[in-house]
Coordinates of all heavy atoms in Angstrom, one line a residue:
M1 N -22.6 77.5 37.7 CA -23.0 78.3 38.9 C -21.8 78.9 39.5 O -20.8 78.2 39.8 CB -23.7 77.4 39.9 CG -24.3 78.2 41.1 SD -25.6 79.3 40.7 CE -26.9 78.1 40.3
I2 N -21.8 80.2 39.8 CA -20.7 80.9 40.4 C -21.2 81.6 41.7 O -22.2 82.3 41.6 CB -20.1 81.9 39.4 CG1 -19.6 81.3 38.2 CG2 -19.0 82.7 40.1 CD1 -18.4 80.3 38.4
V43 N -20.7 77.7 52.7 CA -21.0 77.5 51.3 C -21.9 76.2 51.1 O -22.9 76.2 50.4 CB -19.7 77.4 50.4 CG1 -20.1 77.1 49.0 CG2 -18.9 78.6 50.5
L46 N -25.6 76.8 52.2 CA -26.4 77.5 51.2 C -26.9 76.6 50.1 O -27.8 76.9 49.4 CB -25.6 78.7 50.6 CG -25.3 79.8 51.6 CD1 -24.5 80.9 51.0 CD2 -26.7 80.5 52.1
S47 N -26.2 75.4 50.0 CA -26.7 74.4 48.9 C -27.7 73.4 49.5 O -28.6 73.1 48.9 CB -25.5 73.7 48.3 OG -24.8 74.5 47.3
F48 N -27.4 73.0 50.8 CA -28.2 71.9 51.3 C -29.0 72.2 52.5 O -29.6 71.4 53.2 CB -27.2 70.8 51.7 CG -26.5 70.1 50.6 CD1 -25.2 70.4 50.3 CD2 -27.2 69.3 49.7 CE1 -24.6 69.8 49.2 CE2 -26.6 68.7 48.6 CZ -25.3 69.0 48.4
Y74 N -25.0 84.7 43.9 CA -24.6 83.7 42.9 C -24.9 84.3 41.5 O -25.7 85.3 41.4 CB -25.4 82.4 43.0 CG -25.1 81.6 44.3 CD1 -25.8 81.9 45.4 CD2 -24.1 80.6 44.3 CE1 -25.6 81.2 46.6 CE2 -23.9 79.9 45.5 CZ -24.6 80.2 46.6 OH -24.4 79.5 47.8
D76 N -25.7 82.5 37.5 CA -25.8 81.3 36.6 C -26.2 81.9 35.2 O -27.4 82.3 35.1 CB -26.7 80.3 37.2 CG -26.8 79.1 36.3 OD1 -25.7 78.7 35.7 OD2 -27.9 78.4 36.3
L81 N -28.7 85.5 41.5 CA -29.4 84.7 42.5 C -29.0 85.0 43.9 O -27.7 85.0 44.1 CB -29.3 83.2 42.2 CG -29.7 82.2 43.3 CD1 -31.3 82.2 43.3 CD2 -29.3 80.7 43.0
H108 N -35.4 73.7 47.7 CA -34.1 74.4 47.4 C -33.1 73.4 46.9 O -32.2 73.7 46.2 CB -33.7 75.1 48.6 CG -32.4 75.8 48.4 ND1 -32.2 77.0 47.7 CD2 -31.1 75.5 48.9 CE1 -31.0 77.4 47.7 NE2 -30.2 76.5 48.5
I109 N -33.1 72.1 47.4 CA -32.1 71.2 47.1 C -32.0 71.0 45.6 O -32.9 70.7 44.9 CB -32.4 69.8 47.8 CG1 -32.6 70.0 49.3 CG2 -31.2 68.8 47.6 CD1 -31.5 70.7 50.0
G110 N -30.7 71.2 45.1 CA -30.5 71.0 43.6 C -30.3 72.3 42.9 O -29.8 72.3 41.8
L111 N -30.8 73.3 43.5 CA -30.7 74.7 42.8 C -29.2 75.0 42.7 O -28.8 75.6 41.6 CB -31.4 75.7 43.6 CG -31.4 77.1 43.1 CD1 -32.2 77.2 41.8 CD2 -31.9 78.2 44.1
I112 N -28.4 74.8 43.7 CA -27.0 75.1 43.7 C -26.2 73.8 43.8 O -25.8 73.5 45.0 CB -26.6 76.1 44.7 CG1 -27.5 77.4 44.7 CG2 -25.1 76.6 44.6 CD1 -27.5 78.3 45.9
P113 N -26.0 73.0 42.8 CA -25.3 71.8 43.0 C -23.9 71.9 43.5 O -23.3 72.9 43.1 CB -25.3 71.2 41.5 CG -25.5 72.3 40.6 CD -26.3 73.3 41.4
L114 N -23.5 71.0 44.3 CA -22.2 71.1 45.0 C -21.6 69.8 45.3 O -22.4 68.8 45.7 CB -22.4 72.0 46.3 CG -21.2 72.2 47.2 CD1 -21.4 73.6 47.9 CD2 -21.1 71.2 48.3
V115 N -20.3 69.6 45.2 CA -19.6 68.4 45.6 C -18.5 68.8 46.6 O -17.7 69.8 46.3 CB -19.1 67.6 44.4 CG1 -18.2 66.5 44.9 CG2 -20.2 67.2 43.6
V116 N -18.4 68.2 47.7 CA -17.3 68.5 48.6 C -16.5 67.2 48.8 O -17.0 66.1 49.0 CB -17.9 69.0 50.0 CG1 -18.9 67.9 50.6 CG2 -16.8 69.3 51.0
M138 N -27.3 62.1 48.6 CA -26.9 63.5 48.4 C -26.8 63.8 47.0 O -27.1 65.0 46.5 CB -25.7 63.8 49.2 CG -25.8 63.7 50.7 SD -27.0 64.9 51.3 CE -26.0 66.4 51.1
V139 N -26.3 62.9 46.1 CA -26.1 63.2 44.7 C -27.4 63.2 44.0 O -27.8 64.1 43.3 CB -25.1 62.2 44.1 CG1 -25.0 62.5 42.6 CG2 -23.7 62.3 44.8
Q142 N -29.9 66.0 44.3 CA -29.6 67.3 43.7 C -30.2 67.4 42.3 O -30.3 68.5 41.8 CB -28.1 67.5 43.7 CG -27.6 67.7 45.1 CD -26.1 68.1 45.1 OE1 -25.7 69.2 44.7 NE2 -25.2 67.2 45.4
Y143 N -30.5 66.3 41.6 CA -31.1 66.4 40.3 C -32.4 65.7 40.1 O -33.0 65.8 39.0 CB -30.1 65.8 39.3 CG -29.9 64.3 39.4 CD1 -30.7 63.5 38.7 CD2 -28.9 63.8 40.1 CE1 -30.5 62.1 38.8 CE2 -28.7 62.4 40.2 CZ -29.5 61.6 39.5 OH -29.3 60.2 39.6
Q287 N -18.7 62.1 40.8 CA -20.0 62.7 41.1 C -20.2 64.1 40.6 O -21.3 64.4 40.0 CB -20.1 62.8 42.7 CG -20.3 61.4 43.4 CD -20.3 61.7 44.9 OE1 -20.9 62.7 45.4 NE2 -19.7 60.8 45.6
F288 N -19.1 64.8 40.6 CA -19.1 66.2 40.0 C -19.5 66.0 38.5 O -20.3 66.7 38.0 CB -17.8 66.8 40.2 CG -17.6 68.2 39.6 CD1 -17.9 69.3 40.3 CD2 -17.4 68.3 38.2 CE1 -17.7 70.6 39.7 CE2 -17.3 69.6 37.6 CZ -17.5 70.7 38.4
L291 N -23.2 65.1 38.0 CA -24.1 66.2 38.2 C -24.0 67.1 37.1 O -25.1 67.7 36.6 CB -23.8 66.9 39.5 CG -24.2 66.1 40.8 CD1 -23.7 66.8 42.0 CD2 -25.7 66.0 40.9
K292 N -22.8 67.4 36.6 CA -22.7 68.4 35.5 C -23.4 67.8 34.2 O -24.0 68.7 33.5 CB -21.2 68.6 35.2 CG -20.9 69.6 34.1 CD -19.4 69.7 34.0 CE -19.1 70.8 32.8 NZ -17.6 70.9 32.6
S294 N -26.0 65.9 34.3 CA -27.5 65.7 34.6 C -28.4 66.7 33.8 O -27.9 67.6 33.2 CB -27.8 65.7 36.1 OG -27.7 67.1 36.5
M296 N -30.1 69.1 34.7 CA -30.0 70.5 35.1 C -29.0 71.3 34.3 O -29.1 72.4 34.1 CB -29.8 70.6 36.5 CG -30.8 70.1 37.4 SD -30.5 70.2 39.1 CE -30.4 72.0 39.3
K297 N -27.9 70.6 33.8 CA -26.9 71.2 33.0 C -26.3 72.4 33.8 O -25.9 73.5 33.1 CB -27.4 71.7 31.6 CG -28.0 70.5 30.8 CD -27.0 69.4 30.5 CE -27.6 68.3 29.6 NZ -26.7 67.2 29.4
V298 N -26.1 72.3 35.0 CA -25.5 73.3 35.8 C -24.2 72.8 36.3 O -24.1 71.7 36.9 CB -26.4 73.8 37.0 CG1 -25.7 74.8 37.9 CG2 -27.7 74.3 36.5
T299 N -23.1 73.6 36.2 CA -21.8 73.1 36.7 C -21.7 73.3 38.2 O -21.9 74.4 38.7 CB -20.7 73.9 36.1 OG1 -20.7 73.8 34.7 CG2 -19.3 73.5 36.6
P300 N -21.6 72.2 39.0 CA -21.5 72.4 40.4 C -20.3 73.1 41.0 O -19.3 73.3 40.3 CB -21.5 70.8 40.9 CG -21.8 70.0 39.7 CD -21.4 70.8 38.5
L301 N -20.5 73.6 42.2 CA -19.3 74.1 42.9 C -18.5 72.9 43.5 O -19.1 71.9 43.8 CB -19.8 75.0 44.1 CG -20.7 76.2 43.8 CD1 -21.0 76.9 45.1 CD2 -20.2 77.1 42.7
L302 N -17.2 73.1 43.5 CA -16.3 72.0 44.0 C -15.6 72.5 45.2 O -14.8 73.4 45.1 CB -15.4 71.5 42.9 CG -14.4 70.4 43.3 CD1 -15.2 69.1 43.7 CD2 -13.5 70.1 42.1
L303 N -15.7 71.8 46.3 CA -15.1 72.2 47.5 C -14.0 71.1 47.9 O -14.4 69.9 48.1 CB -16.0 72.4 48.7 CG -17.3 73.1 48.5 CD1 -18.1 73.3 49.8 CD2 -17.0 74.5 47.9
Q330 N -16.2 76.7 39.4 CA -15.6 77.4 40.6 C -15.2 76.4 41.6 O -15.9 75.5 41.9 CB -16.7 78.4 41.2 CG -16.1 79.3 42.2 CD -17.2 80.3 42.7 OE1 -18.3 79.9 42.8 NE2 -16.7 81.5 43.2

Side-chain angles (χ1 to χ4, degrees):
M1 185 67 71
I2 300 297
V43 177
L46 291 176
S47 283
F48 293 106
Y74 297 83
D76 182 33
L81 170 67
H108 179 72
I109 307 302
L111 179 68
I112 308 165
L114 178 149
V115 173
V116 58
M138 292 299 287
V139 179
Q142 290 187 73
Y143 67 86
Q287 288 177 41
F288 177 96
L291 285 171
K292 187 179 176 183
S294 71
M296 295 180 63
K297 302 299 181 186
V298 177
T299 302
L301 305 181
L302 180 63
L303 314 185
Q330 189 178 31

